[in-house]
Amino acid sequence: MNVESLAPDEGTCKTQCVRVNGVPTHLMKVEPNLAETIEVADESDVLFLVIPGNPGIVDFYEVFMLTLFKASGCKVPVWGISHAGHTSLTQKLDDNTQGPYSLVDQIDHKAAFIRDFVPPGKRLVLIGHSIGCHIILQVMKSNPSLPILKAVLLFPTIERMWDSPNGTFLAPLLCYFRWLAVFGVFLSSYLSDWVKWRAINWFFRGRKVPPCTFHAALNLFNPSCTNNIIFMAAHEMREVMEPDLDAIAQHLPKLLFYYGAKDGWCPVDYYYDIKKLFPEGDIRLCKRGIAHAFCLESSELMADLTWNWLGQDIQIQVN
């Protein structure tokens, strides 16, 4: 799906499927019109790379990416990568590589993408959301030589996921009743596209969500996608226990944390705990009332805030 949401002289938003370690992977790119391919995307030496939460469907972040690109003066390319197996787009390449993929698999997947697809000479600003923040920390820890300029961690689920308010309720369902959910999605996959679209409209009734949300949500009617999403989530509940203090300490000058004031996945107590452990770190608490799933209704505001935090440093590299 090509999304012509920018003026012709500003840039384009496009999606493509690439293979990362042999795994079909959904990639979205917002970049100047002069950059027609990955190889020639050299307008600036900086590249924003968005690592999503779970579901890891990058279409949810389209408005955020477009707004961030515009905030840069349409100079800094913004890429976003979906998690392996989370989108039906990649399943058109049916080659028995659709998982399921664990949390560790997704970490390796993102590290391989950065190594193999980011052009030489680019300096990365990684932007993670939710479990994407944990993925970024682990990628940075295991690959200290990567050219990472900054990492922005939005609503970071980097600790005690099972013990969080949402985890307490959802973890048993995710860990022990996955196949029941996948079976339900399997049955719903036989519904017509019109019925699926109406069901998504009903779910989001009364909320001002962008069109990209509806397109992204259609992936949730695919049983393979749902299986991968829940399988990864179950691993998150079991594996994301204590914060990786070594990884944070190792890269603290490059990290910016942004916690929600009311977040069922990383409650405000987690913010105060990290702030106490790393008082010199750039660790912020939201004062704008932004929800954990910011990409549904607060993409523009979140992108503007992100650029305001980073703009001065980025402009030095672009101009």
Side-chain angles (χ1 to χ4, degrees):
M1 177 183 64
N2 289 337
V3 183
E4 301 296 340
S5 302
L6 300 175
D9 60 340
E10 290 180 336
T12 58
C13 176
K14 57 186 177 181
T15 65
Q16 64 184 93
C17 188
V18 298
R19 287 186 179 272
V20 180
N21 279 353
V23 178
T25 301
H26 177 206
L27 174 66
M28 179 177 287
K29 300 189 291 181
V30 185
E31 51 193 10
N33 279 326
L34 293 177
E36 295 296 332
T37 65
I38 290 177
E39 288 76 17
V40 299
D42 57 358
E43 296 71 31
S44 83
D45 69 341
V46 176
L47 172 66
F48 289 126
L49 179 61
V50 177
I51 309 296
N54 189 3
I57 304 166
V58 76
D59 300 74
F60 280 120
Y61 300 84
E62 180 181 324
V63 174
F64 173 80
M65 293 170 61
L66 287 166
T67 306
L68 186 60
F69 177 70
K70 289 182 179 181
S72 77
C74 301
K75 293 181 179 179
V76 181
V78 184
W79 293 2
I81 179 175
S82 293
H83 293 322
H86 284 211
T87 66
S88 56
L89 174 68
T90 59
Q91 294 176 17
K92 294 178 181 179
L93 303 177
D94 186 9
D95 52 7
N96 298 317
T97 61
Q98 293 303 311
Y101 302 101
S102 68
L103 179 57
V104 171
D105 292 332
Q106 299 292 357
I107 294 169
D108 294 340
H109 177 255
K110 305 309 174 294
F113 174 81
I114 293 172
R115 288 194 304 267
D116 297 341
F117 288 90
V118 172
K122 287 288 185 181
R123 290 194 284 181
L124 281 171
V125 175
L126 300 179
I127 302 174
H129 174 222
S130 193
I131 194 60
C133 302
H134 173 81
I135 291 173
I136 286 175
L137 286 177
Q138 296 309 306
V139 168
M140 294 177 72
K141 181 180 180 180
S142 301
N143 303 269
S145 62
L146 290 177
I148 297 172
L149 183 64
K150 196 78 174 178
V152 180
L153 310 180
L154 304 175
F155 306 93
T157 52
I158 58 174
E159 61 175 302
R160 293 176 282 175
M161 289 193 66
W162 193 303
D163 295 333
S164 68
N166 286 354
T168 301
F169 172 71
L170 290 173
L173 301 177
L174 295 169
C175 292
Y176 304 120
F177 296 96
R178 171 166 60 101
W179 292 111
L180 183 61
V182 173
F183 179 70
V185 171
F186 170 76
L187 296 178
S188 70
S189 68
Y190 288 96
L191 297 172
S192 69
D193 289 342
W194 183 87
V195 172
K196 294 174 184 177
W197 192 262
R198 295 298 299 173
I200 296 169
N201 271 275
W202 176 84
F203 182 82
F204 288 114
R205 66 193 183 282
R207 303 179 68 179
K208 296 180 179 180
V209 298
C212 62
T213 297
F214 296 89
H215 292 286
L218 284 172
N219 291 279
L220 304 179
F221 286 95
N222 183 297
S224 178
C225 293
T226 300
N227 185 39
N228 276 299
I229 288 166
I230 299 177
F231 184 77
M232 176 182 172
H235 278 260
E236 295 171 29
M237 298 301 115
R238 293 188 174 105
E239 297 170 17
V240 183
M241 302 298 291
E242 298 299 322
D244 193 330
L245 301 182
D246 291 338
I248 296 173
Q250 181 183 1
H251 298 285
L252 189 62
K254 295 182 178 181
L255 303 178
L256 188 157
F257 295 83
Y258 190 70
Y259 282 84
K262 295 181 179 180
D263 190 335
W265 284 113
C266 40
V268 69
D269 289 350
Y270 293 10
Y271 159 78
Y272 288 115
D273 291 344
I274 289 292
K275 187 73 173 177
K276 184 178 180 180
L277 288 169
F278 300 98
E280 71 280 19
D282 191 352
I283 304 170
R284 310 180 185 212
L285 183 64
C286 176
K287 298 181 180 179
R288 303 294 190 95
I290 302 175
H292 181 89
F294 73 84
C295 53
L296 297 181
E297 297 179 278
S298 302
S299 290
E300 295 95 337
L301 176 57
M302 196 71 258
D304 287 338
L305 288 172
T306 302
W307 179 256
N308 288 337
W309 299 331
L310 300 174
Q312 184 175 0
D313 292 337
I314 301 304
Q315 287 171 2
I316 292 172
Q317 305 302 331
V318 172
N319 294 333

